[in-house]
Amino acid sequence: MQQRDRVVEAHQPWPADSIKVVTKRQPTADEWQAMRFAWRVMAHVKSNTVLFTSADRTLAIGAGQMSRVDAVNVARMKAQALGVDALRGSAAASDAFFPFRDGLDAVAAAGATAVVHPGG
C-alpha cells in the first residue's frame, strides 16, 4: 500500500539543509523558487516524468516515458505552443535520478538553468 505523497521536503522555502547542490554554481533565488514549485508539481504527475516550470507556473510536462531524454523531448514538443523560447531560463524536475548524462544534456538544451531530482 502506498501513502499519499505530502512533498514534505518542499514545505519550507528553499534552499534547505536537506537539499544538496552538486554543481559549482549555486542556484539563484528565482531558480530555488522555481525548483521548489517544480518539485511540488512533480508529486502529482505520472511517473517517469521530466517537467519544466517558472517560479509560478508549469511550462511543459513530459510524462510516462521510459527514457529521460524522451520525456524532455515530449515536454519540448508540448512547449512549442508557448513559443520558441518558452523553456529558456526554466527549472526542470525529474521524479527519478538521471542515470546518464544525456538526460541532463537534453534538459539544458531545452533551456533549463536549474534541475532538481532525487539523486542516485
Side-chain angles (χ1 to χ4, degrees):
M1 182 162 82
Q2 184 175 353
Q3 296 179 352
R4 181 178 177 195
D5 189 348
R6 299 191 184 276
V7 198
V8 295
E9 55 281 319
H11 281 205
Q12 301 297 322
W14 288 4
D17 291 337
S18 62
I19 299 171
K20 180 180 177 183
V21 176
V22 296
T23 57
K24 291 179 183 176
R25 183 181 75 80
Q26 294 290 311
T28 66
D30 288 342
E31 288 170 336
W32 277 117
Q33 187 176 354
M35 287 189 296
R36 180 174 173 244
F37 178 73
W39 194 249
R40 294 173 81 186
V41 172
M42 181 62 63
H44 305 287
V45 179
K46 183 177 176 129
S47 186
N48 295 328
T49 297
V50 176
L51 64 84
F52 296 82
T53 70
S54 65
D56 63 351
R57 67 190 59 183
T58 302
L59 302 173
I61 299 173
Q65 303 301 308
M66 295 290 223
S67 156
R68 299 282 159 215
V69 173
D70 289 345
V72 171
N73 290 337
V74 168
R76 288 180 84 172
M77 179 181 67
K78 291 181 176 188
Q80 286 178 347
L82 299 175
V84 176
D85 294 329
L87 302 181
R88 185 166 298 195
S90 65
S94 175
D95 63 334
F97 75 102
F98 288 90
F100 306 106
R101 179 184 165 156
D102 61 349
L104 289 169
D105 288 342
V107 166
T113 58
V115 180
V116 60
H117 66 96

